Amino acid sequence: MSLTHDQCAALDQVDPFARHRALFDLPTGVIYLDGNSLGALPHAVKAAVAHCVETQWGRDLISSWNKAGWINLPARVGGLIAPLIGADSDEVIACDSTSVNLFKLAAAALKLRPDRKVIVTEAANFPSDLYVLQGLAQMVGDVSLRVVDAGELPAALSDDVALLLLTQTHYKTGHVHDMADLSARAHVVGALTLWDLSHSTGAMPVDLNGCEADLAVGCGYKFLNGGPGAPAYLYIAKRHHAAFRSPLTGWMGHADPFAFRDDYQGGVGVKQALSGTPSVLGMVALEAALGLFEGVDMAALRAKADRLGDLFLDLVEQRCGGMGFEVACPRTGRGSQVSLTHQSAYPIMQALIARGVIGDFRAPDILRFGMTPLYVGFADIWDAVEVLRGVMESGDWRDERFQVRGMVT
Amino acid sequence: MSLTHDQCAALDQVDPFARHRALFDLPTGVIYLDGNSLGALPHAVKAAVAHCVETQWGRDLISSWNKAGWINLPARVGGLIAPLIGADSDEVIACDSTSVNLFKLAAAALKLRPDRKVIVTEAANFPSDLYVLQGLAQMVGDVSLRVVDAGELPAALSDDVALLLLTQTHYKTGHVHDMADLSARAHVVGALTLWDLSHSTGAMPVDLNGCEADLAVGCGYKFLNGGPGAPAYLYIAKRHHAAFRSPLTGWMGHADPFAFRDDYQGGVGVKQALSGTPSVLGMVALEAALGLFEGVDMAALRAKADRLGDLFLDLVEQRCGGMGFEVACPRTGRGSQVSLTHQSAYPIMQALIARGVIGDFRAPDILRFGMTPLYVGFADIWDAVEVLRGVMESGDWRDERFQVRGMVT
């Protein structure tokens, strides 16, 4: 598919998600292809956060726990996420960070399968997921991690496996695991599944219940646009609610948190997975951001993301051929991102950012571009590739200032 | 001490903290005596949060991790808390909730004392602290909790104790433990100490290093005024940095978080206690709120809180005698709060709140009033007791609407 800039602009005219772009406060002069790392700011969030700070906190003070329903924010935000991931609203709750939620659910899974001591996961999984498992194994003592390449996952599922933990959409390559197939394989050997949906939710349809997934976690600040360090969420399939036990038993997860009893008694269902007091500012921002998904057809959204990604790869092939780029993501069955490799990936990304095209670099040699379909258009993609071509042709990525390694996220 | 309203107003005139009151956005018509549950809104927080949302997130997007220093917020905020608790700045870091931090430190303490399997704590400690220990014990399996009354703590410290976990200032009564004495007693038997400072920090001088405390946690939304669900913090004495191992190993605690390596390698010192991505909005609010403590003499601040509390108790005795109130807090050696008991405590507190005096109720029969010395004045206390007298004399606390049990925090 080869398109001119005008043809891309015409596609934007008929894009059913064109109206969503206006719901975001996007800076001018920037093409933002990093919504898979930090989603852009929805206008609605500004008012919601200001109201929370100035009125709910400032005027109503402590009474806002009841009056503004702060106490119900974790369940309310979870209820907004549930339809995006194929879950019932009482199976999802917002709380803590993705890493803390992974720890809670992986530890609980070991208790649900007490005779099994193996956790299977993928090598080169999102690092924090691996770190959480390593810390858990060290703490528990008699648990071993079986870390294998993606292709070897089915063979790794033996009947000593308690849990299969996978990130559905790979953070670097955008490869998407077949959740239904791998969940079924895990269940055949009696293992549970725990899915990290951080790079899926909000970008593509996810069907936890349809795939008979057991447990899941995900991030609020990527495709859900909840803001930097937004609360994460977790999912527990209803069939596990009765036996589920969180190791992180804080007051918010108590059946009667305001009775201040000495003995812990877990709350009903997914609520027992709460621990301490959540960030109310973060919850309010995420709640407002989730409002943008109301009425969004997730299949159509993913179709647009696929078209954006295909266009990007086609245009790179056509306009940046022979410049040393290789495609590092699947051509089909991909998340809302594309990845290229280049031996000078780091300075090239810095030069792109200096010209207003914001993607990110992932070690050792990956340029990653998020195709956030709610606010990225087809003409943006054309323009971004044109800037990439300009960076390469001018050679200005060789400039010294682009070689300095800083922190990226 | 018996004072008239005019005498109280005169005390406010010469109060060295009078200027701080103007730094808070306090609602009119309200006397707020619940800053020990949720601190009031500092004006500086409004601008800081709006700037974070609109400029750092909205305009600069992902680059704010470097440009706005989001990545250093946990250490920066920890560094602002350190002088308030007698710690060095590299011993304190802001992250997660108090409950999650308690879990991390208590679990790490067990690893630091691997041959010991007992954790000692106080019955009627802050419930979430007890819940965290119960969950940890259940997860680890071979740990037992020794929960005793305050007076029996010294006797409970035998040489099988790994950890003594105490809340320094009691959430209901305001009793303050002698940190130096109990830490010394714990060390004599080889146990570590973990202090929950939630009801101390920001209200009184705390001297962790001077008391040779080992570990501590605390809350950002009480006397530190960081806003609802503000990030919590934790302290690890420098002598434990090398051996400390967090069980909650997330990417933010990695020595090189942006290298995205598969293997976890904990960061230097207290940074390794970080887990997932923190709430940036919450951190920014807390950072701005902590600015109000710059130059504050904590001993003088506590002296004011003591005077406020003494005044409250004296006036209740003088003006509300024979109305059924009993003092439920120490007359000396008390945190920044006073507590009364009354058999109708719940409806009385509701009637007080309806008249604009905001304290809180703690089951079964406690009326709790926070004396937040940065923004509560002596005339406020006089007025609050006068309202209490009015509620009792009018008998309007018997009104049906005040009997309905709602949630309180």
Side-chain angles (χ1 to χ4, degrees):
Chain A
M1 180 171 70
S2 172
L3 293 176
T4 64
H5 186 276
D6 283 354
Q7 287 170 317
C8 288
L11 283 176
D12 287 333
Q13 292 290 325
V14 297
D15 173 13
F17 299 105
R19 72 174 184 85
H20 283 88
R21 188 183 177 104
L23 302 177
F24 288 88
D25 186 3
L26 295 165
T28 50
V30 164
I31 301 174
Y32 191 57
L33 304 180
D34 209 6
N36 49 327
S37 191
L38 175 67
L41 169 65
H43 285 294
V45 168
K46 289 183 283 187
V49 170
H51 178 70
C52 177
V53 171
E54 293 176 26
T55 303
Q56 295 179 345
W57 175 15
R59 296 275 80 71
D60 297 336
L61 290 155
I62 192 73
S63 70
S64 286
W65 280 100
N66 301 323
K67 194 172 165 187
W70 287 349
I71 193 72
N72 298 319
L73 273 169
R76 222 157 67 215
V77 172
L80 292 172
I81 295 169
L84 302 179
I85 57 177
D88 290 343
S89 63
D90 62 353
E91 292 177 312
V92 185
I93 202 149
C95 53
D96 296 311
S97 65
T98 311
S99 296
V100 169
N101 287 336
L102 267 172
F103 180 89
K104 288 190 280 196
L105 296 193
L110 293 174
K111 293 282 183 189
L112 289 169
R113 292 288 181 273
D115 301 331
R116 295 159 173 244
K117 303 293 176 193
V118 177
I119 299 178
V120 172
T121 190
E122 181 184 0
N125 189 354
F126 191 67
S128 205
D129 297 34
L130 297 172
Y131 302 160
V132 166
L133 292 182
Q134 289 163 26
L136 175 64
Q138 202 126 41
M139 183 180 174
V140 174
D142 60 345
V143 167
S144 65
L145 308 183
R146 191 176 292 162
V147 185
V148 302
D149 289 336
E152 293 158 25
L153 286 166
L157 291 168
S158 46
D159 63 9
D160 54 352
V161 175
L163 180 68
L164 170 65
L165 183 155
L166 291 173
T167 300
Q168 191 194 18
T169 302
H170 198 277
Y171 78 107
K172 272 190 196 174
T173 66
H175 172 79
V176 180
H177 280 300
D178 184 335
M179 184 187 284
D181 177 63
L182 284 162
S183 293
R185 288 174 189 269
H187 290 163
V188 163
V189 298
L192 297 169
T193 56
L194 168 46
W195 293 92
D196 183 343
L197 303 175
S198 293
H199 290 85
S200 302
T201 307
M204 62 177 72
V206 176
D207 190 8
L208 289 171
N209 284 343
C211 295
E212 295 187 10
D214 299 291
L215 306 163
V217 299
C219 166
Y221 53 79
K222 298 177 188 283
F223 294 107
L224 298 183
N225 312 305
Y233 56 91
L234 61 82
Y235 156 92
I236 306 169
K238 219 168 293 182
R239 64 186 174 281
H240 297 303
H241 284 190
F244 177 87
R245 293 290 175 274
S246 172
L248 257 164
T249 46
W251 77 285
M252 289 284 291
H254 197 280
D256 191 357
F258 296 99
F260 293 95
R261 293 203 191 91
D262 276 8
D263 288 322
Y264 184 74
Q265 172 66 47
V268 173
V270 75
K271 282 190 188 175
Q272 66 184 296
L274 296 178
S275 51
T277 311
S279 168
V280 170
L281 301 187
M283 285 280 175
V284 162
L286 178 55
E287 184 179 35
L290 285 166
L292 274 64
F293 284 93
E294 205 185 316
V296 164
D297 175 342
M298 293 305 293
L301 194 69
R302 185 182 191 184
K304 180 184 169 188
D306 280 344
R307 288 188 74 182
L308 290 170
D310 290 343
L311 175 65
F312 187 97
L313 296 176
D314 288 343
L315 289 172
V316 166
E317 199 178 319
Q318 291 156 26
R319 306 177 67 81
C320 305
M323 291 175 171
F325 294 106
E326 300 285 342
V327 174
C329 59
R331 292 291 316 212
T332 59
R334 182 182 64 215
S336 272
Q337 66 186 73
V338 294
S339 303
L340 306 173
T341 56
H342 193 287
Q343 62 180 10
S344 299
Y346 184 83
I348 291 170
M349 182 54 76
Q350 300 313 303
L352 273 174
I353 291 170
R355 291 190 184 205
V357 173
I358 303 182
D360 63 21
F361 164 80
R362 282 294 174 265
D365 61 355
I366 285 186
L367 298 125
R368 196 176 67 155
F369 301 92
M371 307 285 126
T372 318
L374 278 185
Y375 52 82
V376 172
F378 294 93
D380 291 329
I381 298 302
W382 202 95
D383 292 338
V385 175
E386 186 59 14
V387 171
L388 179 61
R389 198 176 64 82
V391 162
M392 299 311 292
E393 288 202 338
S394 69
D396 71 356
W397 59 271
R398 297 180 198 273
D399 191 297
E400 216 168 279
R401 69 195 160 118
F402 298 137
Q403 318 302 317
V404 184
R405 293 289 175 120
M407 291 169 299
V408 288
T409 57
Chain B
M1 182 171 70
S2 172
L3 294 176
T4 64
H5 186 276
D6 283 354
Q7 287 171 316
C8 289
L11 283 178
D12 286 332
Q13 292 289 328
V14 297
D15 173 13
F17 299 105
R19 70 173 185 87
H20 283 88
R21 188 185 179 101
L23 303 178
F24 288 88
D25 186 3
L26 294 165
T28 50
V30 163
I31 301 174
Y32 191 57
L33 304 179
D34 209 5
N36 48 327
S37 191
L38 174 67
L41 169 64
H43 285 292
V45 168
K46 290 184 281 188
V49 170
H51 178 71
C52 176
V53 170
E54 293 176 26
T55 303
Q56 294 179 345
W57 175 14
R59 295 276 80 71
D60 295 337
L61 291 154
I62 192 72
S63 69
S64 286
W65 279 101
N66 301 324
K67 194 172 163 184
W70 287 349
I71 193 71
N72 297 320
L73 273 168
R76 222 156 66 215
V77 173
L80 292 172
I81 295 169
L84 302 179
I85 57 178
D88 290 343
S89 63
D90 61 352
E91 293 178 311
V92 185
I93 201 151
C95 52
D96 295 312
S97 65
T98 310
S99 297
V100 169
N101 288 337
L102 267 173
F103 180 90
K104 288 189 283 197
L105 296 194
L110 293 174
K111 293 282 183 189
L112 289 169
R113 292 288 180 273
D115 300 331
R116 294 159 174 245
K117 303 295 176 191
V118 177
I119 299 177
V120 172
T121 190
E122 181 183 0
N125 189 354
F126 191 67
S128 207
D129 297 35
L130 297 172
Y131 303 161
V132 166
L133 292 182
Q134 290 164 26
L136 175 63
Q138 203 126 40
M139 183 179 174
V140 174
D142 59 346
V143 166
S144 66
L145 307 182
R146 192 175 291 162
V147 185
V148 302
D149 289 336
E152 293 158 25
L153 285 167
L157 291 168
S158 47
D159 62 9
D160 54 352
V161 175
L163 181 68
L164 169 64
L165 184 156
L166 290 174
T167 300
Q168 190 195 19
T169 302
H170 198 277
Y171 78 108
K172 273 189 195 174
T173 65
H175 172 79
V176 181
H177 280 299
D178 184 335
M179 183 185 283
D181 177 64
L182 284 162
S183 294
R185 287 173 188 268
H187 290 163
V188 164
V189 298
L192 297 169
T193 56
L194 167 46
W195 293 93
D196 183 343
L197 304 174
S198 293
H199 290 85
S200 303
T201 308
M204 63 178 71
V206 176
D207 190 8
L208 289 172
N209 283 343
C211 296
E212 295 187 12
D214 299 291
L215 306 163
V217 300
C219 166
Y221 54 79
K222 297 178 188 284
F223 295 106
L224 297 183
N225 312 304
Y233 56 89
L234 60 81
Y235 155 92
I236 306 170
K238 220 168 291 180
R239 63 187 175 278
H240 297 302
H241 285 190
F244 177 87
R245 293 290 175 272
S246 172
L248 258 163
T249 44
W251 77 285
M252 289 284 293
H254 197 282
D256 190 358
F258 295 98
F260 292 97
R261 294 203 191 91
D262 277 9
D263 288 321
Y264 184 73
Q265 172 67 47
V268 173
V270 75
K271 281 192 186 171
Q272 66 183 298
L274 297 178
S275 51
T277 311
S279 168
V280 170
L281 301 187
M283 286 280 175
V284 162
L286 178 54
E287 184 180 36
L290 285 166
L292 274 65
F293 284 94
E294 205 186 316
V296 165
D297 175 344
M298 295 305 294
L301 194 69
R302 186 181 191 184
K304 179 183 170 188
D306 279 345
R307 288 189 74 181
L308 290 170
D310 290 343
L311 176 65
F312 188 98
L313 296 176
D314 288 343
L315 289 171
V316 166
E317 199 180 318
Q318 291 156 24
R319 306 177 67 82
C320 304
M323 291 175 171
F325 294 106
E326 300 285 341
V327 174
C329 58
R331 292 292 315 214
T332 58
R334 180 182 67 215
S336 272
Q337 65 187 72
V338 295
S339 303
L340 305 173
T341 55
H342 193 285
Q343 62 179 8
S344 299
Y346 184 83
I348 291 169
M349 182 53 75
Q350 300 313 303
L352 274 176
I353 291 170
R355 292 187 185 207
V357 175
I358 303 183
D360 63 21
F361 164 81
R362 283 293 175 265
D365 61 356
I366 285 185
L367 298 123
R368 195 177 66 157
F369 301 92
M371 307 285 124
T372 318
L374 278 185
Y375 52 81
V376 171
F378 293 93
D380 290 331
I381 298 302
W382 202 96
D383 292 339
V385 175
E386 186 60 13
V387 171
L388 178 62
R389 200 177 62 84
V391 161
M392 299 311 292
E393 289 202 338
S394 69
D396 71 356
W397 60 270
R398 297 179 199 274
D399 191 297
E400 218 168 279
R401 70 193 160 117
F402 297 136
Q403 317 302 317
V404 185
R405 293 289 176 120
M407 292 168 299
V408 286
T409 56

